[in-house]
Amino acid sequence: CPLWGPHIPRNPLMIWRHSTLELRHRRRAATIAAMSEIHGEPQADPPQHTLDQVPMPLPSPHAAALRKVTEGIEVGAASRGWDRPPALYALVPTAQLLATDDVPEDVLASLREAWDGTPEHLSAILQDSIPNDELEEVLPKLAWPESVFGSALTVERIIVPPSVEDEAPDDPQEALNFISNHPARTDVRLTIGVTREGDSWCAVRARTFDDPERVGKGENLVPALVEALRMGFNPDVQDA
């Protein structure tokens, strides 16, 4: 397999399908979390503490590097606009790439310009395409080489409140039409990054609030996709 690419057990190079809907009831928890992050829906009040009682923990250097590269991928995806196919990235330490002999000089120049000088800094390397309708099946079967420290994904989805999912017809095609035309639908772009060490970071942007100041961010906003990406670094789980 390529130096920076995963082993994929079957050929994923198929024609992209631009539908951004997969109606899966197991996504309900992720949908609720994403909708809450986007719309600011009220949640139970957390226990009240003063700042000196509960200091805000700083992310580790590797976690901070993951957040930076994931948010950079999100900004890049936003600049390309909506109605785009999924994009999968290998996350590789920039210092490691700079020390590689066969990296083209123009790429090296871009890497040097973006590098912050730390060993934790990560660069995103775009991978071969995976069809949107096979994404959740293929992701857990990826096997990244040791040279890759993490992976990231951008994908567009349609989300609706759980009550709308309950109203959807059982027939998949009818359900797709029902959800796609429902007034409560929300188009979102999900950007998820994970590392071998288990860190994760997510960014969720809604089409109706397409503003960099309104991007929801958190460690586990899309649990199903976070877990699917993590499995690419845990072959023992794949073989279980």
Side-chain angles (χ1 to χ4, degrees):
C1 62
L3 182 61
W4 314 116
H7 168 69
I8 302 177
R10 53 197 178 84
N11 182 12
L13 301 178
M14 298 171 61
I15 298 174
W16 284 108
R17 292 183 60 187
H18 292 279
S19 167
T20 59
L21 170 68
E22 290 178 25
L23 184 60
R24 301 279 178 84
H25 288 290
R26 63 189 178 86
R27 282 211 190 109
R28 178 166 303 189
T31 298
I32 294 172
M35 291 289 286
S36 176
E37 189 71 25
I38 294 165
H39 297 296
E41 296 176 354
Q43 299 182 2
D45 293 334
Q48 299 299 312
H49 300 285
T50 62
L51 289 178
D52 58 344
Q53 288 176 315
V54 184
M56 295 297 291
L58 294 175
S60 69
H62 281 142
L66 175 67
R67 295 183 183 190
K68 183 176 181 179
V69 71
T70 302
E71 292 175 17
I73 291 171
E74 196 284 326
V75 171
S79 70
R80 291 186 288 274
W82 292 86
D83 302 316
R84 306 284 296 185
L88 179 67
Y89 299 85
L91 304 181
V92 181
T94 304
Q96 180 178 323
L97 287 171
L98 291 172
T100 303
D101 294 333
D102 57 352
V103 177
E105 187 56 40
D106 59 333
V107 176
L108 287 174
S110 297
L111 292 172
R112 294 190 191 101
E113 182 179 357
W115 189 32
D116 62 7
T118 65
E120 293 85 12
H121 186 271
L122 297 170
S123 293
I125 303 175
L126 183 64
Q127 302 295 297
D128 290 336
S129 61
I130 299 175
N132 197 8
D133 59 349
E134 299 184 9
L135 189 64
E136 290 181 330
E137 179 184 351
V138 172
L139 284 180
K141 298 178 182 178
L142 300 179
W144 294 97
E146 291 296 326
S147 54
V148 173
F149 185 71
S151 64
L153 171 75
T154 63
V155 62
E156 296 178 13
R157 288 285 183 261
I158 295 173
I159 61 175
V160 293
S163 58
V164 176
E165 287 190 21
D166 292 339
E167 298 171 3
D170 293 333
D171 179 79
Q173 187 59 48
E174 292 181 7
L176 185 149
N177 294 334
F178 175 82
I179 297 296
S180 297
N181 295 291
H182 199 281
R185 63 170 277 177
T186 300
D187 293 349
V188 297
R189 182 187 300 111
L190 311 174
T191 306
I192 307 101
V194 304
T195 69
R196 285 186 179 278
E197 295 184 342
D199 294 313
S200 63
W201 195 245
C202 307
V204 178
R205 183 187 292 247
R207 195 167 192 163
T208 51
F209 303 106
D210 196 355
D211 185 322
E213 299 299 321
R214 304 193 70 172
V215 176
K217 300 174 184 177
E219 292 183 355
N220 202 32
L221 298 182
V222 195
L225 289 176
V226 168
E227 184 59 28
L229 286 174
R230 280 176 173 162
M231 289 182 69
F233 301 97
N234 195 346
D236 293 339
V237 174
Q238 296 176 3
D239 296 337

